Amino acid sequence: MTKTYYLEDIEVNALRSVSLVIREGEMVSLMGPSGSGKSTLMHIVGLLDTPTSGQVILEGVDASTMSANQLAELRNQYIGFVFQAFNLLPRTSALANVELPLIYSGVSATERTRRAKDALERVGLGNRMGHFSSQLSGGQQQRVAVARALVTNPSIVLADEPTGNLDSRSGIEVMAMLQDLNAQGITVIVVTHDDRIARHAQRVVRILDGRIQSEEIVREPVRAAIELRDLPPEEVAG
Ligand SMILES: Nc1ncnc2c1ncn2[C@@H]1O[C@H](COP(=O)(O)OP(=O)(O)OP(=O)(O)O)[C@@H](O)[C@H]1O
Ligand SMILES: [Mg+2]
C-alpha cells in the first residue's frame, strides 16, 4: 500500500509501496527513524486511517470494501491500541478509563466493571482501580492503557512507542505484559526506536523513508520476565 499526504502543494509520501504480512499470533517490532512512516503504518493497520492506494486485509477481509461503520465495528472487535502518551482521561479513575471501550461496544454496566477489574488485575493494578491517572506513575499509567487495550479481548494489539516515555524498568514491565498477551495468542505489533526493546519480538521490520528496508527474524527474543504483583499501598513509593 501507499499513503500520500497532501499539504497545500506539497506531497508527502509517508508510505511507498509497502508490502507486509503479519501472521496470526506473531509479535513484530517496527523500527525506523522519526518520520519514516511507522505511525502512519500502524494507523492504517489499525483501521484508523485508509491507504491512498493498495489494500489492507484483516483476517481475510479487505478493509477497503467496508463502510466507516463496519470499520469501526471491526476495530472495536479485533484491535487494541496502546500509545506513547498513554492517552488516558485525566481526573477519571483507572477503572473508568479501562471500562471506556466497552461503553462503545454496548456491554452492560455490571459486565463492564467486572471485565475492567479483571483487566486491571491482569496488569498488576488491582489495588489502584480507584486512582485517577494523575495519581499513578508513568509505568502504572501505561499499564492502565494496556488494560484498556485488552479489555475488549482483541486479537491484535498495536503499540506505538509504548515504552517511549518510561524509564527502562517500567519499559521492560510493559514489554513483559505485551509478551504475556502474545503468549496467550494475541498478535502484537510494537513500534520502537530502541533496539533492545525491539528484540523482545520474534521479528524486527525496519522502515526507512516510507519503505520497508529489512526484516530480521530474532532467533532468541529477549524474555522480559518481571513479575507484576499488587504491592500494598504503603510499600509503593509516591
Ligand atoms: N496527517 C498528516 N498530514 C500530513 N503529513 C503527515 C501526516 N501524518 C504524518 N505525516 C508525514 O508523514 C511522514 C511519516 O509520519 P509518521 O508519523 O508515520 O512517522 P513516524 O515514523 O511515526 O515518526 P516518529 O518516530 O517521529 O513518530 C512524516 O513525514 C510526516 O510529516
Ligand atoms: Mg510515530
Side-chain angles (χ1 to χ4, degrees):
M1 63 178 154
T2 293
K3 180 72 181 182
T4 309
Y5 292 110
Y6 296 94
L7 285 175
E8 299 181 357
D9 288 344
I10 305 163
E11 202 178 276
V12 181
N13 296 297
L15 295 174
R16 309 168 192 245
S17 305
V18 166
S19 193
L20 180 65
V21 175
I22 312 262
R23 287 164 207 88
E24 193 175 350
E26 239 192 324
M27 180 157 176
V28 175
S29 293
L30 190 57
M31 292 194 80
S34 184
S36 57
K38 305 179 297 295
S39 295
T40 303
L41 183 60
M42 291 288 258
H43 290 155
I44 292 175
V45 169
L47 310 177
L48 290 168
D49 202 352
T50 54
T52 309
S53 65
Q55 287 173 304
V56 182
I57 298 176
L58 179 69
E59 309 232 339
V61 178
D62 179 352
S64 67
T65 64
M66 318 213 79
S67 69
N69 277 344
Q70 286 173 315
L71 286 177
E73 212 167 282
L74 216 59
R75 195 163 58 228
N76 244 320
Q77 188 181 347
Y78 287 118
I79 302 170
F81 294 93
V82 180
F83 301 96
Q84 176 174 8
F86 320 141
N87 292 2
L88 301 175
L89 296 180
R91 304 203 61 76
T92 304
S93 70
L95 189 65
N97 267 286
V98 176
E99 282 186 27
L100 206 62
L102 297 175
I103 295 179
Y104 304 131
S105 356
V107 177
S108 77
T110 15
E111 179 64 8
R112 279 203 303 263
T113 308
R114 193 190 65 74
R115 280 166 62 177
K117 280 184 173 167
D118 184 57
L120 281 164
E121 266 154 22
R122 278 169 77 186
V123 301
L125 285 177
N127 62 343
R128 287 289 182 282
M129 301 204 210
H131 282 55
F132 288 160
S133 324
S134 55
Q135 298 168 324
L136 296 170
S137 71
Q140 290 170 338
Q141 290 181 51
Q142 194 57 302
R143 281 150 64 181
V144 174
V146 172
R148 182 186 54 189
L150 61 85
V151 76
T152 54
N153 265 326
S155 38
I156 305 171
V157 167
L158 302 178
D160 196 347
E161 289 266 5
T163 66
N165 281 329
L166 301 177
D167 62 82
S168 59
R169 192 200 149 88
S170 305
I172 287 172
E173 280 178 6
V174 166
M175 292 315 290
M177 283 186 300
L178 293 178
Q179 284 187 327
D180 199 38
L181 297 181
N182 180 243
Q184 293 161 29
I186 297 179
T187 308
V188 178
I189 310 178
V190 190
V191 168
T192 179
H193 277 107
D194 184 334
D195 197 57
R196 284 167 310 175
I197 292 290
R199 305 197 75 77
H200 288 75
Q202 299 135 17
R203 182 156 62 114
V204 179
V205 174
R206 288 193 169 76
I207 177 166
L208 181 66
D209 208 12
R211 288 195 180 87
I212 293 188
Q213 191 192 22
S214 66
E215 290 193 39
E216 178 197 351
I217 302 291
V218 183
R219 293 217 177 277
E220 281 179 51
V222 180
R223 287 281 310 142
I226 283 190
E227 197 183 330
L228 295 165
R229 60 193 177 97
D230 287 350
L231 295 175
E234 60 274 20
E235 281 184 41
V236 182

